């Protein structure tokens, strides 16, 4: 099965793939699996429908609104570059 655990939450190199996003408008919380091969620049909140976009200086919605930054940032590399 490669580096991903059965629950999809972490890879063997310690990179977490699960992250919990919190909508800044309504507070809705959702746990999502972050991709390792793409950036997520837009995310539609399931609570209020707000389209979340990265904050200035952040590379993706996970780095702006989630409790765990995206995999490239966790590895100390550039995201989406």
């Amino acid at each position: 099965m490669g580096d991903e655990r059965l629950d999809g939450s972490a890879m063997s190199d310690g990179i977490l793939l699960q992250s919990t996003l919190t909508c800044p408008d309504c507070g809705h919380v959702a746990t999502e699996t972050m991709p390792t091969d793409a950036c997520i620049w837009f995310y539609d909140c399931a609570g209020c429908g707000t389209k979340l976009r990265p904050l200035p200086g952040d590379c993706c919605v996970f780095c702006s609104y989630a409790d765990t930054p995206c995999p490239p940032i966790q590895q100390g590399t550039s995201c989406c570059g």
Side-chain angles (χ1 to χ4, degrees):
M1 178 171 244
D3 288 342
E4 196 168 324
R5 291 189 338 198
L6 292 177
D7 65 1
S9 63
M11 296 170 56
S12 64
D13 57 3
I15 302 301
L16 300 175
L17 298 180
Q18 294 285 316
S19 194
T20 301
L21 289 152
T22 302
C23 177
D25 289 346
C26 73
H28 183 268
V29 175
T31 300
E32 302 288 347
T33 300
M34 296 181 284
T36 57
D37 60 351
C39 288
I40 303 298
W41 292 316
F42 302 105
Y43 180 84
D44 293 323
C45 173
C48 67
T50 295
K51 184 178 291 292
L52 302 180
R53 294 171 175 86
L55 296 172
D58 285 341
C59 61
C60 66
V61 295
F62 290 104
C63 289
S64 293
Y65 305 105
D67 61 355
T68 304
C70 67
I73 296 299
Q74 290 180 57
Q75 291 175 312
T77 62
S78 175
C79 180
C80 314

